[in-house]
Amino acid sequence: MRRTNQGTEVTQSPDLDRRGGTHMRMTGEDRGGLAGIAVRQAWFIPVIAAAVAVILLVLFWDRPITDDVAWYLMGTRDWLNGAVLYEMVVEVNPPLNFYFTVPAILIAETFGVSDTNGQYMLTALMLFGSLLWCGTIIRDAFGLSPARQAVLLT
């Protein structure tokens, strides 16, 4: 069964949805309905995620980092410069933490900042990606207003 309503094509097909649900596909004519709302709200989640990531960078830039993270930054730097793990770099834990620290060292080298600030940049980037993903899930699953999405993201 097909019917159109303001440029929205609605199809109902039992083989597409076992629950007998209705599927909606937006056509190019519908800019004021659901598609228009989605376009107007598309900027909202990335802006909030970027703002939180920038706030993290501003708050922590050039601040001391914890001793464990500092040790992994130093050890990873030595390892990348040719030191042999578990011989020249003494550590009792498996090497996975050294592998996780490599991106922070590469960011620090790329942007010419300290290893600590490289770690903060990596953390802010991961926070941005996580908030972007969470915001998309919140928007798609719950259909909340932009104000409520902002409360859940922050």
Side-chain angles (χ1 to χ4, degrees):
M1 171 195 323
R2 290 180 183 249
R3 61 188 166 98
T4 58
N5 181 11
Q6 296 178 359
T8 303
E9 182 178 323
V10 179
T11 61
Q12 191 171 20
S13 173
D15 56 289
L16 292 177
D17 188 353
R18 295 171 197 248
R19 296 169 291 178
T22 301
H23 300 280
M24 295 183 72
R25 189 181 73 196
M26 307 307 285
T27 63
E29 301 168 8
D30 187 15
R31 294 288 179 226
L34 295 176
I37 292 170
V39 168
R40 287 191 301 267
Q41 292 179 2
W43 63 269
F44 186 74
I45 293 170
V47 168
I48 292 292
V52 172
V54 167
I55 289 170
L56 175 97
L57 276 178
V58 168
L59 288 176
F60 287 99
W61 196 259
D62 282 335
R63 296 203 182 228
I65 205 160
T66 64
D67 54 349
D68 288 334
V69 178
W71 161 246
Y72 277 108
L73 288 170
M74 290 172 38
T76 303
R77 169 76 61 191
D78 291 344
W79 174 52
L80 291 175
N81 287 333
V84 179
L85 287 179
Y86 306 104
E87 290 179 14
M88 302 167 91
V89 178
V90 179
E91 177 60 42
V92 296
N93 294 314
L96 188 60
N97 284 335
F98 289 105
Y99 299 145
F100 285 152
T101 310
V102 168
I105 300 293
L106 295 177
I107 288 173
E109 287 179 356
T110 301
F111 292 102
V113 297
S114 69
D115 292 347
T116 302
N117 287 334
Q119 180 68 39
Y120 290 140
M121 290 173 75
L122 177 64
T123 303
L125 182 64
M126 290 172 38
L127 175 67
F128 173 74
S130 177
L131 288 177
L132 195 63
W133 192 6
C134 289
T136 303
I137 292 169
I138 289 169
R139 183 191 64 220
D140 292 346
F142 302 113
L144 298 176
S145 69
R148 290 186 178 181
Q149 289 176 24
V151 168
L152 285 176
L153 280 179
T154 55

